[in-house]
Amino acid sequence: ASAAPTPGGGSVAALAGAFGAGLVAMAVDVTEARRKDGALDAEREALAALIAGLRAAADEDREVFEAFMEALRLPKATGEERRRREAAKVQAARRATEAPLAAAARMRDALALAETLRARVRKSVVSDVDAGADLLRGAVHAALRNVDINLPALPEGERAGPAAERAALAEEAERLARG
């Protein structure tokens, strides 16, 4: 809540996604504590990997932002300096677009797991799976806000692919959230 630019929306979106996936994982653990049959081990491992990836994505968002700010601080007095600065800005914009797309894809994967696990966990923790899915859905859209702001910084010929991926992730998140 400070005036510092980081952590920003991308980091918070990644952490919200990790919390959402964590709620789903907790529901799996509560279910498995009773059953003890290992039927949900693969899902538990997949969720753990997604949570770890989302936690790392929060740090990556900060690093990507800082790289973009460094590019903006490069000198621009000569033509060569302007070319180097522009190349650095484009490279930073690529990373600033790719990172939230990757985070949103992890969130989508966790949301897909939540939707399949809903019917497999104890009834007493279905609300936790649903709350986790709600957080994941919102986190996908929050992460995609960074894509929206960074796409215009890409060269025009490079925008179509990330824009299509962004649209597909948003559509998949909505489809999964509807069940």
PDB file of all heavy atoms in Angstrom, residues 50 103-114 136 140 168-169 172-173 175-176:
ATOM      1  N   LEU A  50       2.346 -25.850  -9.084  1.00  0.00           N
ATOM      2  CA  LEU A  50       1.719 -24.612  -9.555  1.00  0.00           C
ATOM      3  C   LEU A  50       1.872 -23.496  -8.523  1.00  0.00           C
ATOM      4  O   LEU A  50       2.164 -22.345  -8.872  1.00  0.00           O
ATOM      5  CB  LEU A  50       0.249 -24.848  -9.893  1.00  0.00           C
ATOM      6  CG  LEU A  50       0.009 -25.689 -11.141  1.00  0.00           C
ATOM      7  CD1 LEU A  50      -1.445 -26.153 -11.209  1.00  0.00           C
ATOM      8  CD2 LEU A  50       0.396 -24.925 -12.397  1.00  0.00           C
ATOM      9  N   ALA A 103       2.198 -16.736 -15.918  1.00  0.00           N
ATOM     10  CA  ALA A 103       1.529 -16.815 -14.613  1.00  0.00           C
ATOM     11  C   ALA A 103       0.047 -17.128 -14.800  1.00  0.00           C
ATOM     12  O   ALA A 103      -0.511 -17.978 -14.093  1.00  0.00           O
ATOM     13  CB  ALA A 103       1.713 -15.507 -13.846  1.00  0.00           C
ATOM     14  N   ALA A 104      -0.591 -16.471 -15.747  1.00  0.00           N
ATOM     15  CA  ALA A 104      -2.013 -16.721 -16.001  1.00  0.00           C
ATOM     16  C   ALA A 104      -2.246 -18.157 -16.463  1.00  0.00           C
ATOM     17  O   ALA A 104      -3.256 -18.778 -16.111  1.00  0.00           O
ATOM     18  CB  ALA A 104      -2.552 -15.729 -17.024  1.00  0.00           C
ATOM     19  N   ALA A 105      -1.311 -18.709 -17.218  1.00  0.00           N
ATOM     20  CA  ALA A 105      -1.443 -20.100 -17.653  1.00  0.00           C
ATOM     21  C   ALA A 105      -1.367 -21.047 -16.458  1.00  0.00           C
ATOM     22  O   ALA A 105      -2.120 -22.035 -16.384  1.00  0.00           O
ATOM     23  CB  ALA A 105      -0.365 -20.446 -18.687  1.00  0.00           C
ATOM     24  N   ARG A 106      -0.488 -20.759 -15.511  1.00  0.00           N
ATOM     25  CA  ARG A 106      -0.421 -21.581 -14.293  1.00  0.00           C
ATOM     26  C   ARG A 106      -1.731 -21.482 -13.512  1.00  0.00           C
ATOM     27  O   ARG A 106      -2.238 -22.475 -12.995  1.00  0.00           O
ATOM     28  CB  ARG A 106       0.730 -21.131 -13.406  1.00  0.00           C
ATOM     29  CG  ARG A 106       2.088 -21.539 -13.886  1.00  0.00           C
ATOM     30  CD  ARG A 106       3.159 -21.136 -12.864  1.00  0.00           C
ATOM     31  NE  ARG A 106       4.471 -21.430 -13.365  1.00  0.00           N
ATOM     32  CZ  ARG A 106       5.300 -20.539 -13.902  1.00  0.00           C
ATOM     33  NH1 ARG A 106       4.933 -19.263 -13.983  1.00  0.00           N
ATOM     34  NH2 ARG A 106       6.481 -20.898 -14.331  1.00  0.00           N
ATOM     35  N   MET A 107      -2.261 -20.272 -13.423  1.00  0.00           N
ATOM     36  CA  MET A 107      -3.522 -20.079 -12.706  1.00  0.00           C
ATOM     37  C   MET A 107      -4.652 -20.830 -13.394  1.00  0.00           C
ATOM     38  O   MET A 107      -5.500 -21.447 -12.741  1.00  0.00           O
ATOM     39  CB  MET A 107      -3.850 -18.591 -12.622  1.00  0.00           C
ATOM     40  CG  MET A 107      -2.883 -17.794 -11.801  1.00  0.00           C
ATOM     41  SD  MET A 107      -3.226 -16.025 -12.022  1.00  0.00           S
ATOM     42  CE  MET A 107      -1.643 -15.327 -11.620  1.00  0.00           C
ATOM     43  N   ARG A 108      -4.661 -20.783 -14.723  1.00  0.00           N
ATOM     44  CA  ARG A 108      -5.664 -21.525 -15.485  1.00  0.00           C
ATOM     45  C   ARG A 108      -5.550 -23.016 -15.203  1.00  0.00           C
ATOM     46  O   ARG A 108      -6.548 -23.702 -15.012  1.00  0.00           O
ATOM     47  CB  ARG A 108      -5.471 -21.237 -16.970  1.00  0.00           C
ATOM     48  CG  ARG A 108      -6.461 -21.862 -17.932  1.00  0.00           C
ATOM     49  CD  ARG A 108      -5.960 -23.040 -18.765  1.00  0.00           C
ATOM     50  NE  ARG A 108      -4.564 -23.295 -18.819  1.00  0.00           N
ATOM     51  CZ  ARG A 108      -3.755 -23.002 -19.836  1.00  0.00           C
ATOM     52  NH1 ARG A 108      -4.197 -22.386 -20.909  1.00  0.00           N
ATOM     53  NH2 ARG A 108      -2.477 -23.353 -19.784  1.00  0.00           N
ATOM     54  N   ASP A 109      -4.323 -23.519 -15.152  1.00  0.00           N
ATOM     55  CA  ASP A 109      -4.120 -24.944 -14.864  1.00  0.00           C
ATOM     56  C   ASP A 109      -4.609 -25.293 -13.466  1.00  0.00           C
ATOM     57  O   ASP A 109      -5.220 -26.352 -13.259  1.00  0.00           O
ATOM     58  CB  ASP A 109      -2.644 -25.312 -15.015  1.00  0.00           C
ATOM     59  CG  ASP A 109      -2.160 -25.214 -16.456  1.00  0.00           C
ATOM     60  OD1 ASP A 109      -3.006 -25.102 -17.381  1.00  0.00           O
ATOM     61  OD2 ASP A 109      -0.927 -25.239 -16.647  1.00  0.00           O
ATOM     62  N   ALA A 110      -4.359 -24.420 -12.498  1.00  0.00           N
ATOM     63  CA  ALA A 110      -4.849 -24.656 -11.138  1.00  0.00           C
ATOM     64  C   ALA A 110      -6.370 -24.582 -11.100  1.00  0.00           C
ATOM     65  O   ALA A 110      -7.019 -25.370 -10.399  1.00  0.00           O
ATOM     66  CB  ALA A 110      -4.234 -23.639 -10.170  1.00  0.00           C
ATOM     67  N   LEU A 111      -6.935 -23.676 -11.870  1.00  0.00           N
ATOM     68  CA  LEU A 111      -8.392 -23.569 -11.948  1.00  0.00           C
ATOM     69  C   LEU A 111      -8.996 -24.833 -12.551  1.00  0.00           C
ATOM     70  O   LEU A 111     -10.019 -25.337 -12.078  1.00  0.00           O
ATOM     71  CB  LEU A 111      -8.776 -22.333 -12.770  1.00  0.00           C
ATOM     72  CG  LEU A 111     -10.245 -21.975 -12.878  1.00  0.00           C
ATOM     73  CD1 LEU A 111     -10.903 -21.823 -11.519  1.00  0.00           C
ATOM     74  CD2 LEU A 111     -10.407 -20.696 -13.693  1.00  0.00           C
ATOM     75  N   ALA A 112      -8.346 -25.379 -13.562  1.00  0.00           N
ATOM     76  CA  ALA A 112      -8.820 -26.633 -14.162  1.00  0.00           C
ATOM     77  C   ALA A 112      -8.778 -27.766 -13.134  1.00  0.00           C
ATOM     78  O   ALA A 112      -9.716 -28.576 -13.051  1.00  0.00           O
ATOM     79  CB  ALA A 112      -7.977 -26.986 -15.388  1.00  0.00           C
ATOM     80  N   LEU A 113      -7.706 -27.813 -12.343  1.00  0.00           N
ATOM     81  CA  LEU A 113      -7.640 -28.833 -11.284  1.00  0.00           C
ATOM     82  C   LEU A 113      -8.752 -28.623 -10.263  1.00  0.00           C
ATOM     83  O   LEU A 113      -9.381 -29.586  -9.820  1.00  0.00           O
ATOM     84  CB  LEU A 113      -6.282 -28.772 -10.586  1.00  0.00           C
ATOM     85  CG  LEU A 113      -5.158 -29.532 -11.245  1.00  0.00           C
ATOM     86  CD1 LEU A 113      -3.829 -29.186 -10.576  1.00  0.00           C
ATOM     87  CD2 LEU A 113      -5.401 -31.028 -11.171  1.00  0.00           C
ATOM     88  N   ALA A 114      -8.987 -27.378  -9.887  1.00  0.00           N
ATOM     89  CA  ALA A 114     -10.052 -27.094  -8.922  1.00  0.00           C
ATOM     90  C   ALA A 114     -11.392 -27.602  -9.428  1.00  0.00           C
ATOM     91  O   ALA A 114     -12.161 -28.218  -8.676  1.00  0.00           O
ATOM     92  CB  ALA A 114     -10.124 -25.588  -8.640  1.00  0.00           C
ATOM     93  N   LEU A 136      -8.612 -17.863  -8.151  1.00  0.00           N
ATOM     94  CA  LEU A 136      -7.852 -18.164  -9.368  1.00  0.00           C
ATOM     95  C   LEU A 136      -8.440 -17.449 -10.577  1.00  0.00           C
ATOM     96  O   LEU A 136      -7.707 -16.888 -11.392  1.00  0.00           O
ATOM     97  CB  LEU A 136      -7.798 -19.671  -9.592  1.00  0.00           C
ATOM     98  CG  LEU A 136      -6.846 -20.406  -8.652  1.00  0.00           C
ATOM     99  CD1 LEU A 136      -7.207 -21.883  -8.565  1.00  0.00           C
ATOM    100  CD2 LEU A 136      -5.409 -20.203  -9.108  1.00  0.00           C
ATOM    101  N   VAL A 140      -6.345 -14.679 -12.689  1.00  0.00           N
ATOM    102  CA  VAL A 140      -6.064 -14.766 -14.131  1.00  0.00           C
ATOM    103  C   VAL A 140      -6.329 -13.408 -14.771  1.00  0.00           C
ATOM    104  O   VAL A 140      -5.481 -12.867 -15.486  1.00  0.00           O
ATOM    105  CB  VAL A 140      -6.915 -15.855 -14.821  1.00  0.00           C
ATOM    106  CG1 VAL A 140      -6.867 -15.715 -16.345  1.00  0.00           C
ATOM    107  CG2 VAL A 140      -6.459 -17.248 -14.409  1.00  0.00           C
ATOM    108  N   ALA A 168      -7.316 -16.241 -25.222  1.00  0.00           N
ATOM    109  CA  ALA A 168      -7.606 -17.653 -24.945  1.00  0.00           C
ATOM    110  C   ALA A 168      -7.569 -17.942 -23.445  1.00  0.00           C
ATOM    111  O   ALA A 168      -8.434 -18.666 -22.929  1.00  0.00           O
ATOM    112  CB  ALA A 168      -6.615 -18.543 -25.686  1.00  0.00           C
ATOM    113  N   LEU A 169      -6.602 -17.385 -22.736  1.00  0.00           N
ATOM    114  CA  LEU A 169      -6.524 -17.603 -21.295  1.00  0.00           C
ATOM    115  C   LEU A 169      -7.735 -17.019 -20.576  1.00  0.00           C
ATOM    116  O   LEU A 169      -8.292 -17.647 -19.672  1.00  0.00           O
ATOM    117  CB  LEU A 169      -5.232 -17.010 -20.734  1.00  0.00           C
ATOM    118  CG  LEU A 169      -3.975 -17.808 -21.022  1.00  0.00           C
ATOM    119  CD1 LEU A 169      -2.732 -16.957 -20.773  1.00  0.00           C
ATOM    120  CD2 LEU A 169      -3.943 -19.063 -20.174  1.00  0.00           C
ATOM    121  N   GLU A 172     -10.710 -19.308 -21.358  1.00  0.00           N
ATOM    122  CA  GLU A 172     -10.610 -20.584 -20.638  1.00  0.00           C
ATOM    123  C   GLU A 172     -10.929 -20.406 -19.149  1.00  0.00           C
ATOM    124  O   GLU A 172     -11.595 -21.245 -18.550  1.00  0.00           O
ATOM    125  CB  GLU A 172      -9.229 -21.188 -20.798  1.00  0.00           C
ATOM    126  CG  GLU A 172      -8.947 -21.737 -22.165  1.00  0.00           C
ATOM    127  CD  GLU A 172      -7.513 -22.242 -22.276  1.00  0.00           C
ATOM    128  OE1 GLU A 172      -7.214 -23.272 -21.625  1.00  0.00           O
ATOM    129  OE2 GLU A 172      -6.715 -21.605 -22.992  1.00  0.00           O
ATOM    130  N   ALA A 173     -10.434 -19.332 -18.557  1.00  0.00           N
ATOM    131  CA  ALA A 173     -10.706 -19.085 -17.140  1.00  0.00           C
ATOM    132  C   ALA A 173     -12.205 -18.930 -16.899  1.00  0.00           C
ATOM    133  O   ALA A 173     -12.747 -19.483 -15.946  1.00  0.00           O
ATOM    134  CB  ALA A 173      -9.958 -17.846 -16.647  1.00  0.00           C
ATOM    135  N   ARG A 175     -14.648 -20.124 -18.837  1.00  0.00           N
ATOM    136  CA  ARG A 175     -15.291 -21.425 -19.095  1.00  0.00           C
ATOM    137  C   ARG A 175     -15.123 -22.347 -17.890  1.00  0.00           C
ATOM    138  O   ARG A 175     -16.075 -22.974 -17.446  1.00  0.00           O
ATOM    139  CB  ARG A 175     -14.713 -22.054 -20.347  1.00  0.00           C
ATOM    140  CG  ARG A 175     -15.328 -23.414 -20.698  1.00  0.00           C
ATOM    141  CD  ARG A 175     -14.664 -24.044 -21.930  1.00  0.00           C
ATOM    142  NE  ARG A 175     -13.215 -24.144 -21.838  1.00  0.00           N
ATOM    143  CZ  ARG A 175     -12.556 -25.061 -21.141  1.00  0.00           C
ATOM    144  NH1 ARG A 175     -13.204 -25.959 -20.425  1.00  0.00           N
ATOM    145  NH2 ARG A 175     -11.236 -25.086 -21.149  1.00  0.00           N
ATOM    146  N   LEU A 176     -13.911 -22.405 -17.358  1.00  0.00           N
ATOM    147  CA  LEU A 176     -13.647 -23.264 -16.211  1.00  0.00           C
ATOM    148  C   LEU A 176     -14.410 -22.794 -14.977  1.00  0.00           C
ATOM    149  O   LEU A 176     -14.923 -23.616 -14.196  1.00  0.00           O
ATOM    150  CB  LEU A 176     -12.150 -23.317 -15.916  1.00  0.00           C
ATOM    151  CG  LEU A 176     -11.318 -24.097 -16.919  1.00  0.00           C
ATOM    152  CD1 LEU A 176      -9.833 -23.768 -16.751  1.00  0.00           C
ATOM    153  CD2 LEU A 176     -11.577 -25.589 -16.794  1.00  0.00           C
TER     154      LEU A 176
END
